[in-house]
Amino acid sequence: QKTYLSNGELIEWKGKNDEVFSTISSTEDYQLTLLGTIPHMDEATAMEVLQSACDAYSKGQGDWPTMKVAQRIACMEDFVSKMKEQREVVVKYLMWEIGKSLPDSQKEFDRTVEYILDTIEDYKQLDRDSAKFHKKDGVYAHIRRGPLGVVLCLGPYNYPLNETFALLIPALIMGNTVVFKPAKHGVLLLSPLLEAFRSSFPKGVVNVIYGRGREVAAPIMQSGRVDVLALIGNSKSAIALQDQHPHKNRLRLVLGLEAKNPGIVLPDADLDLAIDECISGTLSFNGQRCTALKILYVHEDIQEEFNRRFAERVDALKFGNPWDEKVMLTPLPEPDKPQYIQELIDDAEKHGAKVLNKRGGETTENYIFPAVLYPVTEEMRVYQEEQFGPVIPVKPFRSIDDLLDEIADSNYGQQVSLFGNDIKRLAPLIDTLVNLVCRVNLNSSCQRGPDVFPFTGRKDSAVGTLSVHDALRSFSIRTFVASKDK
Ligand code: G3H
């Protein structure tokens, strides 16, 4: 990637570059594969790019924030049709850059296109709603939704297209202008889309930068010219960036952060179903999903059977390159991840847990086979940290009240999966659980989609709500004109 996008131009970068490697090996003798380079941008360039987003917004007076709804929609439709032409190449990048399997990579692309089209429809509805007049005490109000200003957007590596666009698209369609910095992995796949951004939107509306967060994103925040920080990643980075802003109270946050979603298996659960869902819930995309099940709580009465059958199922999973057929486990994009997962296993073993499955912890250069750890206790790192990778802590429980207290004390509050059959017993439990997290999945694993449903979390898991419908509201403010006459 030799260019960056600023002020409606793809500008050639003449400075230092960073190399982008893939951990995927298509040969027997494993080596990192060099995929390309990206600009290692500096503060001065980042500030020029920010200036372009500020100029395009022009304190709310720019062409984009004042543009008619139909015109903004036309820009978005033009973008999506150009994006569709790039499907094959983007899917290939998804596999090579982040090791996502072929079906999941295709799904990520198609889901993103659908997200954009649904957003356009929802935006039209929002516009129809704003045409209505409200009347109270002789005052007529024409209430609509307006943009917030300049958005700094940082995307994650695990859904570099879909989750990034779940921030970018609503931010743009509501009339904001954006400076976007992709994550370290999953960065080249945006290259084929830069020209579409350039040609579909007026100049300065979408800008793309590269480089280290502390060298480019931090100074952008320090300028005080960012109105919205939109980030999907960890809370440490989100807090560090917020802290750079000189007027934190003015900053709107849209954040998708960490989670440690529990899977709770009750004694009367359908074990076949629970095990199936816990396999996909813990290990889809190697557990590198904020919505992954990151701890399993299994009732003592069924523990033995669950442990034996679950461990056997994990050992039967197939590891391979993303394009191999029926592969579930694929290379990890972060070269240091296997070492980190091994440290969690060692720490758990030191504190008395055992690896239940025969293949747990087997390593190759770019992978570590998932380990099922039991019994997990609170002093273990794998209990406390969001592992975001292939290791599965299993903790026994007897009293549901104690378990609810434990979930209530967690720093996270995104989702829960609950496996059980006795509806009389489940109903009050569900009522309590939805007050501890934001989504309870009954007899199914946790997930973000369908994208029209609200996606958010309590505590350290999220700020603001994403989804087709909610994100339009997260990236806008209600404004109105009041008058005594209609
Ligand atoms: O990483 C967090 C994503 O929002 C997970 O999305 O549940 O569709 O895999 P997903």
Side-chain angles (χ1 to χ4, degrees), residues 467-479:
S467 82
V468 167
H469 182 73
D470 294 280
L472 293 182
R473 283 135 186 100
S474 298
F475 284 101
S476 62
I477 187 165
R478 289 181 98 199
T479 59

Side-chain angles (χ1 to χ4, degrees), residues 57 64-67 69 72 76 119 122-124 126-127 144-149 151 167-178 468-478:
Y57 192 69
W64 185 248
T66 56
M67 190 177 268
V69 166
R72 248 192 244 151
M76 205 49 91
T119 298
D122 214 65
Y123 180 57
K124 286 180 187 164
L126 199 62
D127 183 51
R144 50 192 154 173
R145 283 206 160 254
L148 293 162
V151 180
L167 301 174
L168 268 182
I169 298 300
L172 288 171
I173 208 163
M174 292 312 299
N176 303 284
T177 63
V178 176
V468 167
H469 182 73
D470 294 280
L472 293 182
R473 283 135 186 100
S474 298
F475 284 101
S476 62
I477 187 165
R478 289 181 98 199

